[in-house]
Amino acid sequence: RHLKKWIIYGVIAWLSQSCSTPKEIFVNDEFEANNRSSAVELRFLKDNKAHLLGYRIFRDTVIKSSQDVRVSNMGILFPRNTVTEVNRESESVFGSDSLKCTIHYHVFYKLVETKPSALHSRSLSKAEQEPKESITEVDINGYLYYPGIDGKIPFAYKNHVGFLLTGSDSLRLTSVYQGHGKLAQTLIGVQLLKGDAVYGVVNSFTGIGRKKAYLYTKATSAEQMIIAAYFAVVASYL
């Protein structure tokens, strides 16, 4: 009975820790005191469109897409690795019921599926025999059209860094880590900076919880929607 009690307590503690927000996500006191947030709902089992921060993708059109699949070995003595390289060009309509912008972008990514070798899988449980998938490389380039702003708003993302250019303003995307020292650090998300000011954050290391996005409430309404649109594109690859 006591063992069961401690197991339940441990599970609850783990769940609480998984769902809590790491202090590093808020970066500084100014951003912590002036932000709004929401879960990033990617809704793959519903309409396959991102919902976040009061906005959503209304339409997502694939203009062209191609993929190349390579298998590194047969998976008899060593794990079977299947590498899928995807190139896709898409256009999305993003925003709210009252205001929408257009996102046009190209994405390249590598998806690696690893399956235990036939020899090794004999000693594994059914769950351990399931293939493991991971994205090892992502490169995104695109632009937004926002009502009232002339010309394109370019953006890019590559492996947790990137940029977003709004007029004369340049916002840069950098990684957010938890812990100290290279060996002890864990990548927990990304932050979007204008100069030294934090304008947005995505917490991608959330355990069993959904990824979470944060916006700087002192940013203009246009900036907030543009940043949310950028996050809607890159969030699924974090």
Side-chain angles (χ1 to χ4, degrees):
R1 182 178 298 178
H2 290 295
L3 178 60
K4 182 178 180 180
K5 175 183 176 181
W6 281 110
I7 290 174
I8 293 173
Y9 175 80
V11 171
I12 292 173
W14 179 78
L15 288 174
S16 299
Q17 186 176 10
S18 298
C19 296
S20 63
T21 302
K23 59 180 175 34
E24 290 86 352
I25 284 297
F26 295 115
V27 184
N28 56 43
D29 294 339
E30 170 67 15
F31 185 70
E32 184 172 9
N34 300 281
N35 77 83
R36 63 186 182 93
S37 63
S38 81
V40 180
E41 298 184 42
L42 299 175
R43 302 171 68 104
F44 292 124
L45 299 179
K46 294 184 179 180
D47 55 17
N48 199 31
K49 297 179 177 67
H51 292 232
L52 72 160
L53 298 161
Y55 312 104
R56 67 186 178 95
I57 290 180
F58 286 83
R59 186 179 73 248
D60 189 31
T61 304
V62 176
I63 298 171
K64 58 183 178 181
S65 181
S66 64
Q67 64 179 40
D68 179 44
V69 181
R70 301 192 311 274
V71 179
S72 63
N73 59 67
M74 298 303 295
I76 299 174
L77 297 177
F78 300 99
R80 177 188 176 97
N81 287 329
T82 303
V83 179
T84 304
E85 295 185 353
V86 178
N87 276 284
R88 182 177 301 139
E89 185 179 358
S90 298
E91 188 165 275
S92 303
V93 176
F94 177 86
S96 62
D97 290 335
S98 58
L99 184 65
K100 298 176 179 65
C101 66
T102 302
I103 313 170
H104 189 109
Y105 64 98
H106 171 265
V107 58
F108 164 82
Y109 66 90
K110 287 184 180 181
L111 178 67
V112 179
E113 180 189 82
T114 303
K115 188 175 182 180
S117 67
L119 184 63
H120 185 216
S121 63
R122 297 173 185 173
S123 61
L124 300 177
S125 67
K126 187 174 181 180
E128 292 173 325
Q129 293 179 32
E130 291 296 316
K132 303 294 189 298
E133 290 188 346
S134 61
I135 293 177
T136 61
E137 185 179 335
V138 181
D139 193 350
I140 302 173
N141 288 278
Y143 50 85
L144 297 101
Y145 288 111
Y146 184 86
I149 296 180
D150 293 332
K152 301 175 181 178
I153 301 173
F155 64 84
Y157 170 86
K158 186 173 184 178
N159 303 331
H160 299 97
V161 296
F163 67 82
L164 175 64
L165 302 179
T166 59
S168 59
D169 293 323
S170 176
L171 290 87
R172 57 190 174 89
L173 190 77
T174 64
S175 304
V176 179
Y177 291 92
Q178 185 178 46
H180 302 284
K182 289 185 177 180
L183 295 177
Q185 284 187 331
T186 301
L187 180 66
I188 59 173
V190 292
Q191 60 179 338
L192 198 59
L193 305 169
K194 182 194 287 188
D196 294 327
V198 182
Y199 270 59
V201 172
V202 177
N203 178 15
S204 57
F205 187 71
T206 55
I208 62 171
R210 290 191 182 104
K211 297 169 186 176
K212 198 168 183 180
Y214 301 79
L215 277 179
Y216 186 42
T217 51
K218 290 186 179 180
T220 67
S221 57
E223 287 174 325
Q224 291 186 45
M225 182 170 154
I226 289 167
I227 292 169
Y230 178 59
F231 285 166
V233 174
V234 305
S236 59
Y237 301 100
L238 295 173

